[in-house]
Amino acid sequence: SQTIHQWPATLVQPVGSPLSLECTVEGTSNPNLYWYRQAAGRGLQLLFYSVGIGQISSEVPQNLSASRPQDRQFILSSKKLLLSDSGFYLCAWMGGGGREYTEAFFGQGTRLTVV
Amino acid sequence: GQQLNQSPQSMFIQEGEDVSMNCTSSSIFNTWLWYKQDPGEGPVLLIALYKAGELTSNGRLTAQFGITRKDSFLNISASIPSDVGIYFCAGKGAQKLVFGQGTRLTINP
C-alpha cells in the first residue's frame, strides 16, 4: 500500500534562517507531488506541484522554492524565512502518468512557526 | 492562485441534523474530491467523484458531481459528534488539485 511521510511535524525557526521540509512517498511510482500551505482556520493554498523528477510548477510568487531530486521525494525550501512564512505545510501525492481515476493523499503536515 | 468557492464557511448544528455544503467553480474539473480535516492533521479523503452527474455515498455521506462539471455538493445525514471538523472540496484538472476554503462544522450535543 502507498504511504506518505512528511517531516518534521513541528518546527520553530528564526527569521532569516533557511528551511528544508521533506516529503517522501512509498508504494507507488511516478506520482504527482504537491506542496500546500494552510494559514490558521483557512483553506489550502497550492504552492508547488511536480509531475516528474526535476519538474516544478510554482503557483504563487513567494519566498519558497521546491525541488524533486528523486521520483518519490519532494522538498520545500527557503534561503531566508520571513514571519509570513509561518503556517501549516502539507505534502500530498496523487497518481501520475495521466491516470484518470486517482485521488490525492496527504501527509500529516508540518507546523512552521517563524519567530 | 485558483480556488473554489465553498459554502457555507461555517455551520453550527444540533446532533442528529442533516448537513449540506457545496462548491462552485468557474473552471471545469474532471474529478471532484471531498476531504475532512481534524485539527493539526492532514486532510483525509471522504468521497471521490469522477463522472459528471455521478452520485456517490459513503455511509452517511453523499456527494454529487454537477452536470456542468463546475460544482459539487456534500450531504451528511444524521450528524454525530465525530463529524466535527473542517470539510474541503477539491477539483482536479489536468495536473493541479485546487481546494475550496473549507466548511467548519460544529455540532451541539
Side-chain angles (χ1 to χ4, degrees):
Chain A
S1 64
Q2 302 89 355
T3 56
I4 179 168
H5 303 281
Q6 187 181 342
W7 67 93
T10 59
L11 192 60
V12 180
Q13 292 284 101
V15 169
S17 65
L19 172 74
S20 181
L21 303 182
E22 189 162 344
C23 174
T24 59
V25 181
E26 296 176 358
T28 187
S29 59
N30 194 30
N32 288 354
L33 296 171
Y34 303 84
W35 278 112
Y36 291 87
R37 178 169 58 202
Q38 185 177 29
R42 305 291 294 277
L44 281 71
Q45 180 186 34
L46 179 61
L47 302 177
F48 301 95
Y49 69 95
S50 171
V51 300
I53 295 174
Q55 300 179 58
I56 307 294
S57 296
S58 175
E59 283 298 292
V60 292
Q62 59 206 313
N63 186 41
L64 302 168
S65 62
S67 62
R68 184 169 178 176
Q70 299 180 48
D71 182 43
R72 290 170 288 178
Q73 183 185 29
F74 205 21
I75 298 172
L76 184 69
S77 304
S78 174
K79 292 182 179 177
K80 291 185 178 181
L81 283 169
L82 306 172
L83 287 174
S84 57
D85 291 325
S86 294
F88 191 48
Y89 288 82
L90 288 156
C91 179
W93 77 271
M94 184 158 58
R99 272 172 269 182
E100 184 178 359
Y101 300 105
T102 181
E103 304 96 23
F105 299 93
F106 283 83
Q108 287 299 297
T110 296
R111 182 159 305 284
L112 171 66
T113 304
V114 183
V115 297
Chain B
Q2 179 186 19
Q3 281 203 312
L4 306 176
N5 296 314
Q6 184 173 348
S7 63
Q9 291 188 22
S10 59
M11 301 185 72
F12 299 85
I13 64 169
Q14 297 294 123
E15 183 178 349
E17 287 186 14
D18 296 343
V19 172
S20 184
M21 60 192 78
N22 68 83
C23 272
T24 60
S25 171
S26 57
S27 304
I28 289 175
F29 292 105
N30 52 32
T31 299
W32 281 88
L33 306 170
W34 283 93
Y35 290 83
K36 178 175 182 274
Q37 184 181 30
D38 292 324
E41 310 246 339
V44 175
L45 182 68
L46 299 173
I47 291 181
L49 301 159
Y50 299 111
K51 294 188 187 321
E54 178 182 359
L55 184 70
T56 298
S57 293
N58 178 9
R60 295 177 295 105
L61 277 61
T62 302
Q64 183 156 32
F65 192 152
I67 287 291
T68 64
R69 294 199 286 158
K70 294 182 178 181
D71 62 295
S72 177
F73 72 74
L74 174 71
N75 289 339
I76 306 173
S77 62
S79 58
I80 60 177
S82 61
D83 291 335
V84 165
I86 303 178
Y87 291 79
F88 290 100
C89 62
K92 176 179 174 289
Q95 302 293 350
K96 291 198 296 185
L97 184 67
V98 294
F99 281 78
Q101 302 94 323
T103 296
R104 182 179 296 274
L105 179 62
T106 303
I107 299 176
N108 299 315

